[in-house]
Amino acid sequence: MLSSRCGSPGGGALKRRAFLSSALAGAGLAALGGRRRMAVAEAASVRRGGTLTWAYTTIPLRLDPLWTQARTDSIIISNIAQGLVRANPTATAVEPALAERWSVSGNGLTYTFFLRGAARFHDGRPVTADDVIASLERSRALGVYKWSLADVKTIAKLDDKRVAIVLNAPVASILARLAMISNAVFPKDQVTSTGQRELTKPIGTGPFMVREWVANDHLTLDANPRYWEAAPDGKPYPYLDGVIIKQVPEDTTKVLQIQAGDLGGAEAIPFSQVPALKRDPRGQLLTFPQQQVYFMVIQLTRPPFDDVKVRQAMSLALDRKVFVDRATAGLAIPANSFMPKSGLYWNPRASLPYDLTKAKQLMRESKYPNGRSGITLQLPSGSQIGRDNAVLAQQMWGEIGLQVQIQEVDGSALAAAWYESNYEAISGYQWTNGMMDPDQLVQFFFVDPRMNTGYQPSDQAVRMVKAAAEELDPAKRRQLYDQIQLIYNTDVGGTISLYYTPSVNYLTPHVRDFYRTPLGVPLYWKTWLAR
Amino acid sequence: MNRRRYIAGRLGQMMVTLAVLAVLVFYMIRLIPGDPAVTMLGIQATPDAVEQLRHQLGLDRPVPVQFAIFIAGAARGDLGESVLARVPVASLVRQRLPLTLFLVTYAMVLAALITVPLGTAAALQRDRPLDQAIRGFSVFWISTPSFWVGILMLIAFGVKLGLFPVGGGGRTFAEHVYYLFLPALTMGLGVSAVLTRNLRDSILATLTAEHVVVARAKGLPARRIVTRHVLRNAVISTVTLLGLYIGFLVGGSVIIESVFALPGMGSEMVSAILGRDYQVVQGFTLVYAVLVSVVYLLTDVAYAFIDPRISL
Amino acid sequence: MIVQERAAGTVGTRPARRSTVRGWLRSPSLVVGLALVLGVLAVAVLAPVVAPYNPIKQNYGVAVQPPSAAHLLGTDKFGRDQLSRILYGTRIDLAVGLICTFIPLLIGVGVGAVSGYYGGVMDTLFMRIIDVQVAFPFYVLLIAIVAVLGPGLINMYYALILVGWVAFARLIRGEILVAKQLEYALAARAIGCGDARVIARHLLPNVIGPAVVFAMSAVVLNILAGASLSFLGLGVQPPIPEWGAMIAESREYVMTAWWLPAFPGLAITVVGIAFSLIGDGLSGFLRPRRS
């Protein structure tokens, strides 16, 4: 989902990304790791034109950012629509999008946005303050991301090209929230006529426009000739004439199609194939870091998870390095916090060590000194990574006397069990940031009772979460989030973090300057084809 | 002629079958734990969002009311709207059925092209090396997972030799024939492995039957005996099996579709049931049932034509 | 010709059957097939004795290793010994293959024989049940059954049995329809044999051939169907070793670690060959008479 996603019913549809690894990439790719130099590198030899065909395990089911929960949906919509601001390519700061600049009042409550003169919708109409207000009001009233604008008091038109957003109270993450794709801008008349229903043919302002959308098969995007953002050659992005997003569920088939030249690229290549593909000259393998964390879910109201010592022992008994090596072929990074490593305010000093001796000792001191058997660990059926994690955890938890039975359950049944809190433990769920600020993630883990059934953080911890959400000084905010991460590690709330997974992309050799942000957004408008 | 009356009677039975099936599938899919609204909203589902969505999708109405709506729609040819894709189920069917039909027919044709000569040859060469080889072939293909065969075909003919496209179905008839060759062959080989054995045995049985022995005694040419007397009789149980397989193939082509990246009925049906897309499961099951019932009807009618001794 | 003589002598006489048993032993494919199945059965029983390692014990130091002296069939991604897993897997797969074939065979033969012989209301009723069952898409039915009952081995049996009997019933019914009008059947009735005796003694032995031969293929098809359920994660639960699940799990290794999908596949092929040989051998004796 736009803002984040945890666990997918389809399970197998893994979403990953990582740091750029490969030297295979052509000349134009040399600068990819350090984004800042990219523009320079691309200007020299860029070739315009051509259509890129790209495969995902599933293609977007919804093109209305208010009503989608799927990562693929939101990252593709990010190529079609935009809001006032957007996350920068490294997802570390907010940068101008439809607003070319903004100003903030001294009390931090009023934000004034100055709309970009060149910004036009796909149908050629200029973007006005009315469009912005209509879109944001819809997002504030409807859909899954209402919370993102919950503290907004008014959205007012100052003139055709100026909008003022007034808050009830300071919201540290307000710009990050506005950068979420749910707050994208659509023409006022489309917003009005769509109303509560779902937007199916979005007229956006992004670099690509929808030409054809065939459910569960493909989505054809054409270049937007009026896109406001200029490339280094002076002409507007995108370089490509279009992008075709295809649904290819079988991972091995994706790889073969790329090697045969039938596909330009694909995401979600099995980790285990990466070493071999790196050596294969028929394609280029690119990994990008992403704000994604895999974890085990445990329900704290059920024994033996009701004892914090047991939970601490469970976390200590997991050798995360082994998880990374076995389940992700060494590509992921062992987790040290519930917050994703490449995200803002991640605490590098937090730690989740492996210490079997201490784990056994904690078990002896716990309410369950003889361990416990018959614990059911469920996973969404068909999820390879969920199964791998479960099999690994089964052996490691067995060492401290917790006997686990693995049960694959179909994803929808598991979602229902989750919704009704009718489970003991779950493997294969993950969280992927859709918002660059950790505010939502932290709220969800500490304040929202659903994520951690039965987890009751101390009043102090809850107060810190609230303070961090309102703190406008980044340094003070960092201190708060640092501590919050340490508290969660000690409490071992309803999730035990395992590792941070990269996005693995495999491309034909002539695709250049492909880049995926840590939020998963592919910058197709900066991608070009060498032939 | 009572054949016409027979066919009319069978058509009536088919309607009954479809009605029973509609009731079954409707209630069965609602029996499975899981809820489309919860599935769609994922882990951040809040009770009020779930309620809102259930209302939007019409899932908060009493089940019998939902059933009445489904039946009334189906009778008019309206299969409702997909919860997940939010397009009419009928348009999903139009989008996916032709490819599946083409693929299955193609696989059947290839299977027949492999089965008839091999089965006949094996029977006529009984226990000689050719027969052994053909039996070996069939044992091998029966026992080999189609997923594996598919991938190997893609690697060999698609990537290494570049003779066929790797996945996709093509648009025109000629493209279909070309694009779907590997998946149809993968499917067809698996089917022909079972059918070849069956045909061989049936032919052997028929060869010893009296009328064939008589025909031989009368000195009729061997070719004519095989085509007129033997194949015609031997093909009966093979046709039964073929009929059974068509049903199996249409609904069970998921793995082939997945490996060859084909947007067919099978994968849509499986993802619909996994996603609790009730309308799609109901609609596709009905369409599938109509197809299979028609195929069976044809098989039964074919019996009558192939073997006039069966009274209708 | 030998077959015809034997068949001609079959009409209700005992000596013919004894010669059949002796004949069975003369068929090399039957003997080899039976020997293979017995061998596989022995492996299933003796798995704990013959397996060199614990099949679920993970040993990360030797993960994804090609076949070697220490691990004859290599190791999987958790460093588990693949030979041991395949040996233990025999227990599950043989059970799936046999139970999910022979129970449906019995049901199918019963239903098909009664239906084909008596015709009328009984036939109509059974045929309509079969029509509904067959018109239900295979996977939708399997997934739905497993989803309702919950995943696991026993429920997988139920699902495959519920789906499997139909093919046998249709096959037998089709053959009986033909056979009951043939001279020998008419003759048997004419000399006053009861229905049960006509079916059991005269019709079934003559028409059961294709069903039994098909059953031998069905053993493998059921193992593969179990594998398909494993693909969807609805079959045997990890870490229990099962061939289909092993193939499903090694999907991503098709191009990088050939031994992971190859050996479980080979195990299925061996079982397939064993039963096919039996089918071949039996088909010589169980051929339907058409005269």
Side-chain angles (χ1 to χ4, degrees), chain A residues 40 73 84 88 110 136 147 200 206 211-212 216 232 285 293 303 316 333 351 387 394 400 407 427 515:
Chain A
V40 186
D73 296 17
L84 292 169
N88 72 353
T110 303
L136 292 184
W147 57 266
T200 50
R211 181 165 75 194
E212 188 192 27
N216 301 344
L285 191 98
V293 56
L316 287 168
I333 298 163
S351 73
R387 190 183 299 138
Q394 184 182 43
I400 56 169
Q407 192 183 52
S427 169
Y515 179 78

Side-chain angles (χ1 to χ4, degrees), chain A residues 286-515:
Chain A
L286 302 178
T287 57
F288 300 97
Q290 88 186 324
Q291 297 183 8
Q292 180 174 75
V293 56
Y294 268 90
F295 45 73
M296 306 301 254
V297 184
I298 47 178
Q299 183 164 183
L300 305 198
T301 54
R302 302 268 179 107
F305 311 130
D306 53 348
D307 185 344
V308 67
K309 289 211 163 106
V310 172
R311 304 202 297 270
Q312 287 167 341
M314 286 173 82
S315 181
L316 287 168
L318 296 182
D319 187 344
R320 291 171 173 79
K321 180 76 176 65
V322 167
F323 275 83
V324 166
D325 287 343
R326 296 295 107 232
T328 76
L331 289 165
I333 298 163
N336 66 336
S337 159
F338 66 95
M339 279 169 56
K341 179 176 179 185
S342 51
L344 284 176
Y345 298 111
W346 165 74
N347 182 356
R349 284 174 308 282
S351 73
L352 291 169
Y354 168 61
D355 187 341
L356 194 55
T357 322
K358 196 170 172 210
K360 285 178 174 167
Q361 186 197 330
L362 280 166
M363 281 304 291
R364 280 193 299 273
E365 296 165 4
S366 75
K367 282 199 285 181
Y368 307 91
N370 300 321
R372 189 158 177 105
S373 57
I375 299 169
T376 305
L377 174 60
Q378 293 174 309
L379 62 106
S381 60
S383 158
Q384 183 68 46
I385 204 160
R387 190 183 299 138
D388 288 350
N389 289 346
V391 168
L392 290 164
Q394 184 182 43
Q395 175 152 328
M396 294 179 193
W397 285 339
E399 300 276 335
I400 56 169
L402 298 174
Q403 305 304 331
V404 170
Q405 281 176 332
I406 300 172
Q407 192 183 52
E408 298 196 27
V409 186
D410 105 349
S412 291
L414 191 56
W418 163 278
Y419 179 68
E420 291 152 12
S421 296
N422 184 21
Y423 62 89
E424 288 185 359
I426 300 176
S427 169
Y429 273 17
Q430 46 90 3
W431 172 284
T432 310
N433 268 358
M435 180 167 105
M436 49 180 274
D437 190 280
D439 188 18
Q440 183 206 7
L441 172 63
V442 172
Q443 296 276 349
F444 198 60
F445 271 70
F446 278 81
V447 183
D448 190 306
R450 278 165 302 128
M451 184 68 188
N452 297 291
T453 309
Y455 174 45
Q456 288 168 329
S458 66
D459 291 346
Q460 188 207 1
V462 175
R463 270 200 305 277
M464 285 168 77
V465 169
K466 191 169 185 306
E470 292 172 357
E471 179 56 62
L472 298 179
D473 177 352
K476 285 186 189 153
R477 226 179 146 215
R478 166 165 288 285
Q479 282 177 0
L480 287 166
Y481 281 129
D482 277 356
Q483 275 204 295
I484 287 167
Q485 291 171 73
L486 298 179
I487 291 172
Y488 194 83
N489 280 358
T490 315
D491 287 0
V492 192
T495 60
I496 301 177
S497 302
L498 296 175
Y499 46 76
Y500 308 124
T501 29
S503 159
V504 179
N505 298 266
Y506 191 52
L507 300 76
T508 47
H510 61 274
V511 179
R512 297 292 151 80
D513 289 346
F514 174 78
Y515 179 78

Side-chain angles (χ1 to χ4, degrees), chain B residues 28 248 273, chain C residues 136-148 155-164 225-226 228-229 232 234:
Chain B
M28 197 173 80
F248 181 76
I273 188 165
Chain C
F136 228 121
F138 179 70
Y139 273 91
V140 171
L141 195 59
L142 272 190
I143 294 173
I145 294 170
V146 173
V148 170
N155 293 338
M156 194 169 100
Y157 288 159
Y158 288 140
L160 288 174
I161 290 170
L162 212 62
V163 171
S228 307
L229 281 176
L232 297 166
L234 298 170

Side-chain angles (χ1 to χ4, degrees), chain B residues 90-296:
Chain B
S91 83
L92 277 179
V93 171
R94 270 197 302 279
Q95 186 188 315
R96 302 213 161 223
L97 184 61
L99 186 115
T100 298
L101 280 184
F102 194 99
L103 178 62
V104 170
T105 315
Y106 199 176
M108 284 300 159
V109 170
L110 290 181
L113 287 179
I114 299 167
T115 302
V116 173
L118 287 193
T120 315
L124 297 179
Q125 298 275 308
R126 186 183 178 194
D127 291 337
R128 300 212 196 115
L130 183 64
D131 180 30
Q132 310 283 11
I134 290 171
R135 275 150 66 190
F137 156 90
S138 94
V139 166
F140 179 78
W141 286 111
I142 288 177
S143 323
T144 313
S146 59
F147 163 76
W148 210 30
V149 178
I151 293 276
L152 290 181
M153 292 236 183
L154 282 182
I155 293 175
F157 299 107
V159 179
K160 295 259 194 261
L161 297 175
L163 293 176
F164 292 95
V166 181
R171 290 210 172 79
T172 60
F173 183 84
E175 270 183 15
H176 279 335
V177 173
Y178 176 51
Y179 274 70
L180 297 179
F181 180 73
L182 291 182
L185 186 64
T186 308
M187 241 182 201
L189 278 172
V191 177
S192 71
V194 177
L195 295 187
T196 300
R197 279 257 301 272
N198 187 276
L199 184 64
R200 170 186 177 273
D201 294 338
S202 302
I203 290 177
L204 283 178
T206 320
L207 276 176
T208 58
E210 268 169 34
H211 65 280
V212 177
V213 175
V214 170
R216 272 197 206 165
K218 281 200 290 189
L220 289 179
R223 171 185 295 266
R224 179 142 174 222
I225 294 177
V226 170
T227 51
R228 283 292 296 276
H229 296 272
V230 177
L231 265 182
R232 188 170 160 156
N233 282 292
V235 127
I236 287 186
S237 69
T238 311
V239 167
T240 311
L241 267 184
L242 190 80
L244 286 170
Y245 263 93
I246 288 179
F248 181 76
L249 285 182
V250 178
S253 55
V254 195
I255 289 170
I256 300 273
E257 286 173 16
S258 172
V259 167
F260 290 94
L262 301 173
M265 294 260 292
S267 52
E268 179 69 26
M269 213 143 45
V270 167
S271 64
I273 188 165
L274 292 179
R276 305 293 185 269
D277 199 338
Y278 295 155
Q279 266 69 23
V280 174
V281 177
Q282 288 160 194
F284 272 54
T285 302
L286 269 190
V287 170
Y288 170 90
V290 170
L291 279 181
V292 172
S293 304
V294 168
V295 169
Y296 282 136

Side-chain angles (χ1 to χ4, degrees), chain A residues 1-9 15 64-75 77-78 144-145 147 180-182 430-435 440 444 519 521, chain B residues 39-45:
Chain A
M1 62 208 76
L2 187 56
S3 126
S4 36
R5 174 160 179 89
C6 168
S8 52
K15 301 102 204 183
D64 186 336
L66 292 196
W67 291 112
T68 181
Q69 298 266 1
R71 170 178 176 272
T72 317
D73 296 17
S74 57
I75 64 176
I77 298 171
S78 298
V144 195
Y145 305 101
W147 57 266
M180 288 166 57
I181 194 63
S182 57
Q430 46 90 3
W431 172 284
T432 310
N433 268 358
M435 180 167 105
Q440 183 206 7
F444 198 60
L519 299 179
V521 178
Chain B
T39 303
M40 280 163 74
L41 289 174
I43 55 138
Q44 291 184 62

Side-chain angles (χ1 to χ4, degrees), chain A residues 250 252 255-256 259 270-273 276-277 322 326-327 379 381-382 384 387-389 391-396 399 405-410, chain C residues 56-60 63-64 76-80 143 147 151 230-234 236-239 245 248-256:
Chain A
E250 187 63 45
T252 305
V255 171
L256 294 175
Q259 294 183 341
F271 292 123
S272 61
Q273 294 188 8
L277 291 179
V322 167
R326 296 295 107 232
L379 62 106
S381 60
Q384 183 68 46
R387 190 183 299 138
D388 288 350
N389 289 346
V391 168
L392 290 164
Q394 184 182 43
Q395 175 152 328
M396 294 179 193
E399 300 276 335
Q405 281 176 332
I406 300 172
Q407 192 183 52
E408 298 196 27
V409 186
D410 105 349
Chain C
I56 60 169
K57 178 78 184 164
Q58 301 167 22
N59 183 357
Y60 311 126
V64 200
D76 68 6
K77 75 157 85 165
F78 301 112
R80 299 178 295 198
I143 294 173
S230 297
F231 263 82
L232 297 166
L234 298 170
V236 177
Q237 300 298 305
E249 281 175 40
S250 62
R251 254 200 295 197
E252 50 180 303
Y253 286 99
V254 167
M255 291 188 292
T256 50

